[in-house]
C-alpha cells in the first residue's frame, strides 16, 4: 500500500531539495517576525534600535541552524536524547548571555529607559532559556518530519521493489515447466511424425515469442493470453491421440483485447489440468476452459478429466509448487480481491478463478 506523500505538494515543499530556498526563506521570515515581537530592541534610540534587532536576529538564526544541522543529526538522530536536550539549553543560555553582554557593552548608553541591573543574573538567564528553547527545538520538529517522510517513502519503494522481485521470481519458477514440456513434445514428434513435428515447431515458436516478449510486461490482453492457452493445448493435443480441449469465451473479441491481465496467470491451472487429465488406460481425456464476465468481474473456469487412480488425484494436497506459487502471486497482485475455488470430483477436476477488471 503506497502513501500519497510523493504526490502531496505541501509534503514536497517540506522535503524536496528543489524547494530548499523557499523553506529557508519561510524560516527566516518566521524568525524575524518572532524577534520583531520582542521588546528589548525597542528600548534603544536611533539606529541602535535596529542594531539591537539585527544582533538578536543573527544570534537566534545561528542557534536555530546549529540545532537543525549539528545537534539534531549528531545527537538526537543517534538517540542521545538527554545529551541533545542539555546541549540545546546550554546553547540557548550562551546565546542569551551573549546578547546581554553585547547590550551591556555596545548598546547600554543608548537605552531609552533606566538601566535595569541584574540582581540575580543566573535566575534571569534560566528563565529566558526555558522560554526561548522551545522555539529553537521547533527546528527539530521540522527535521523529524522530513526524516519520517523520507523513511516512509523509502519503505514504500522497498516494498514495491520487493513485490516486483517476488512476482518475477514466481513467474520465473513457473515458466520453465512449460518450456520443458514443449521440448519434450517436439522430441517425441520428431521421431514419430516429422510432419506434425514441423507444425509443432511453428506453434512452439509462437509459444516462445509470447514467453519472451509478452511475459515481461506487467499486463497483457485477455485475447493474447487466450491465444497462448490455445497454442499450448494444441501442442498437447498433437502429442496425445485421445485428448480434446475447448476454449469457450462469451466475451466479444474487441472486449478481450481491452481486458488486461497479468501474463501467464491461467497457464499454471492449464498445465496442472494437463498433468492430471492423463488416464492410465489411455481412454478419452479432455480439458474445457471458459472465460466470461459478470459485472466488473472476470471469471475463468478450467475443467479436466481425471483418473480414479489415487496417484493422479489432484486434491489440495497434491497441487504442487505451481499452484502454490500462483496462489501467492494472486495474493500479491490482488490482495483479497479475488476468489479461487477448487472442486475435486470423481471423474473431473474444476478450478474457478474470479478477478476484478
Amino acid at each position: 500500500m503506497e502513501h500519497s506523500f510523493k504526490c502531496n505538494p505541501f509534503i514536497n515543499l517540506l522535503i524536496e531539495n528543489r524547494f530548499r530556498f523557499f523553506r529557508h526563506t519561510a524560516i527566516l521570515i518566521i524568525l524575524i517576525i518572532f524577534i520583531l515581537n520582542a521588546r528589548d530592541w525597542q528600548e534603544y534610540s536611533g539606529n541602535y534600535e535596529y542594531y539591537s534587532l539585527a544582533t538578536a536576529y543573527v544570534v537566534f538564526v545561528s542557534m536555530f541552524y546549529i540545532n537543525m544541522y549539528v545537534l539534531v543529526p549528531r545527537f538526537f538522530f543517534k538517540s542521545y536524547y538527554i545529551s541533545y536536550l542539555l546541549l540545546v539549553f546550554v546553547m540557548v543560555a550562551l546565546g542569551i548571555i551573549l546578547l546581554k553582554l553585547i547590550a551591556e557593552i555596545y548598546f547600554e548608553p543608548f537605552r531609552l529607559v533606566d538601566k535595569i541591573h541584574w540582581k540575580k543574573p543566573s535566575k534571569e538567564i534560566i528563565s529566558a532559556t526555558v522560554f526561548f528553547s522551545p522555539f529553537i527545538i521547533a527546528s527539530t520538529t521540522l527535521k523529524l518530519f522530513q526524516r519520517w517522510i523520507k523513511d516512509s517513502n523509502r519503505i514504500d519503494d522497498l516494498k514495491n521493489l520487493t513485490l516486483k522481485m517476488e512476482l518475477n521470481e514466481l513467474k520465473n519458477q513457473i515458466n520453465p515447466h512449460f518450456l520443458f514440456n514443449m521440448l519434450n513434445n517436439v522430441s517425441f514428434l520428431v521421431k514419430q511424425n516429422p510432419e506434425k513435428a514441423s507444425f509443432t515447431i511453428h506453434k512452439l515458436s509462437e509459444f516462445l515469442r509470447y514467453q519472451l516478449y509478452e511475459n515481461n510486461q506487467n499486463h497483457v490482453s485477455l485475447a493474447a493470453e487466450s491465444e497462448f492457452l490455445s497454442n499450448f493445448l494444441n501442442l498437447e493435443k498433437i502429442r496425445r491421440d485421445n485428448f480434446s480441449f475447448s476454449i469457450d469465451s462469451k466475451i466479444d473479441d474487441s472486449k478481450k483485447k481491452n481486458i488486461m491481465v497479468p501474463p501467464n496467470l491461467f497457464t499454471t491451472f492449464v498445465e496442472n489440468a494437463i498433468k492430471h487429465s492423463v488416464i492410465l488406460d489411455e481412454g478419452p481425456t479432455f480439458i474445457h476452459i471458459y472465460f466470461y464476465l459478470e459485472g466488473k468481474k472476470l471469471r475463468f473456469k478450467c475443467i479436466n478429466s481425471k483418473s480414479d487412480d489415487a496417484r493422479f488425484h489432484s486434491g489440495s494436497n497434491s497441487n504442487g509448487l505451481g499452484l502454490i506459487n500462483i496462489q501467492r502471486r494472486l495474493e500479491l497482485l490482488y490482495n483479497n480481491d479475488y476468489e479461487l475455488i477448487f472442486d475435486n470430483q470423481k471423474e473431473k477436476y474444476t478450478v474457478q478463478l474470479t478477478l476484478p477488471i
Side-chain angles (χ1 to χ4, degrees):
M1 181 180 296
E2 295 188 14
H3 296 100
S4 59
F5 296 146
K6 294 181 181 179
C7 301
N8 191 309
F10 177 72
I11 298 299
N12 292 337
L13 181 64
L14 290 178
I15 67 172
E16 290 192 5
N17 290 333
R18 59 194 175 111
F19 297 119
R20 178 177 294 178
F21 173 78
F22 299 100
R23 285 199 300 271
H24 291 287
T25 300
I27 290 172
L28 295 175
I29 292 174
I30 292 171
L31 287 175
I32 200 169
I33 292 173
F34 172 72
I35 297 298
L36 285 172
N37 287 326
R39 294 182 178 180
D40 290 347
W41 66 274
Q42 299 173 344
E43 297 177 353
Y44 301 96
S45 63
N47 290 334
Y48 287 92
E49 174 183 327
Y50 302 105
Y51 296 157
S52 174
L53 171 65
T55 302
Y57 184 68
V58 169
V59 170
F60 274 96
V61 168
S62 299
M63 289 192 294
F64 194 89
Y65 281 101
I66 289 172
N67 176 63
M68 181 181 290
Y69 289 107
V70 178
L71 300 184
V72 172
R74 296 187 179 183
F75 294 92
F76 191 88
F77 284 166
K78 294 183 179 179
S79 301
Y80 302 132
Y81 303 121
I82 296 178
S83 299
Y84 166 74
L85 290 175
L86 289 175
L87 288 171
V88 168
F89 283 112
V90 169
M91 179 184 67
V92 175
L94 291 175
I96 292 172
I97 291 173
L98 179 62
L99 287 175
K100 291 291 184 182
L101 291 175
I102 294 174
E104 289 283 341
I105 296 172
Y106 296 102
F107 305 142
E108 195 60 38
F110 306 96
R111 185 186 291 271
L112 295 175
V113 296
D114 293 336
K115 181 178 179 179
I116 301 176
H117 295 282
W118 294 1
K119 295 181 178 180
K120 293 183 178 180
S122 59
K123 185 177 180 179
E124 185 176 348
I125 292 172
I126 292 173
S127 177
T129 299
V130 172
F131 178 77
F132 287 110
S133 291
F135 295 97
I136 302 302
I137 294 176
S139 60
T140 306
T141 305
L142 177 60
K143 294 295 288 185
L144 278 173
F145 186 72
Q146 288 178 331
R147 181 164 180 169
W148 177 65
I149 294 298
K150 290 179 179 179
D151 287 346
S152 297
N153 289 337
R154 191 179 300 113
I155 290 171
D156 284 342
D157 291 339
L158 181 60
K159 286 181 179 178
N160 291 334
L161 178 60
T162 303
L163 175 64
K164 291 179 181 178
M165 291 177 63
E166 185 169 358
L167 285 172
N168 287 334
E169 182 180 358
L170 291 174
K171 288 196 297 184
N172 291 335
Q173 287 177 346
I174 294 171
N175 292 341
H177 294 289
F178 300 107
L179 183 57
F180 294 151
N181 283 340
M182 296 305 101
L183 291 176
N184 287 334
N185 288 345
V186 172
S187 176
F188 175 82
L189 290 172
V190 164
K191 298 177 182 178
Q192 301 295 326
N193 192 328
E195 184 176 349
K196 283 188 177 181
S198 176
F199 176 78
T200 303
I201 291 173
H202 173 71
K203 290 294 182 181
L204 181 59
S205 68
E206 294 180 355
F207 172 88
L208 292 175
R209 186 180 300 110
Y210 182 89
Q211 293 289 82
L212 290 173
Y213 298 106
E214 303 289 343
N215 190 49
N216 290 327
Q217 301 179 22
N218 291 329
H219 292 87
V220 297
S221 68
L222 180 60
E225 187 77 0
S226 180
E227 183 179 359
F228 170 76
L229 295 179
S230 178
N231 290 332
F232 184 29
L233 291 169
N234 267 310
L235 288 170
E236 185 65 20
K237 182 176 176 61
I238 293 172
R239 191 176 68 88
R240 289 162 55 181
D241 293 333
N242 296 320
F243 173 72
S244 64
F245 76 92
S246 65
I247 300 179
D248 184 11
S249 176
K250 298 180 180 179
I251 306 173
D252 295 337
D253 291 340
S254 58
K255 288 186 178 180
K256 287 173 66 175
K257 293 179 181 179
N258 294 325
I259 296 175
M260 306 304 291
V261 295
N264 279 335
L265 191 63
F266 309 108
T267 45
T268 301
F269 301 117
V270 176
E271 185 193 33
N272 190 68
I274 290 174
K275 174 182 176 182
H276 294 290
S277 66
V278 177
I279 295 179
L280 294 180
D281 60 5
E282 297 184 355
T285 59
F286 63 86
I287 294 177
H288 300 308
I289 296 174
Y290 304 89
F291 288 104
Y292 54 98
L293 295 175
E294 286 187 2
K296 294 185 178 180
K297 300 286 186 179
L298 171 65
R299 296 193 180 275
F300 163 82
K301 181 186 291 187
C302 180
I303 305 173
N304 64 269
S305 57
K306 60 184 286 286
S307 172
D308 290 333
D309 192 289
R311 290 174 296 170
F312 289 87
H313 283 178
S314 48
S316 59
N317 295 327
S318 60
N319 287 336
L321 178 63
L323 291 184
I324 293 174
N325 282 346
I326 197 63
Q327 287 180 277
R328 176 55 180 159
R329 190 179 174 200
L330 287 168
E331 291 173 1
L332 293 173
L333 289 169
Y334 297 101
N335 198 5
N336 293 322
D337 194 16
Y338 77 95
E339 184 180 38
L340 181 60
I341 300 174
F342 299 100
D343 183 14
N344 187 11
Q345 299 181 12
K346 183 177 180 180
E347 296 182 352
K348 65 179 182 179
Y349 186 74
T350 304
V351 175
Q352 296 187 74
L353 175 62
T354 304
L355 302 172
I357 58 172

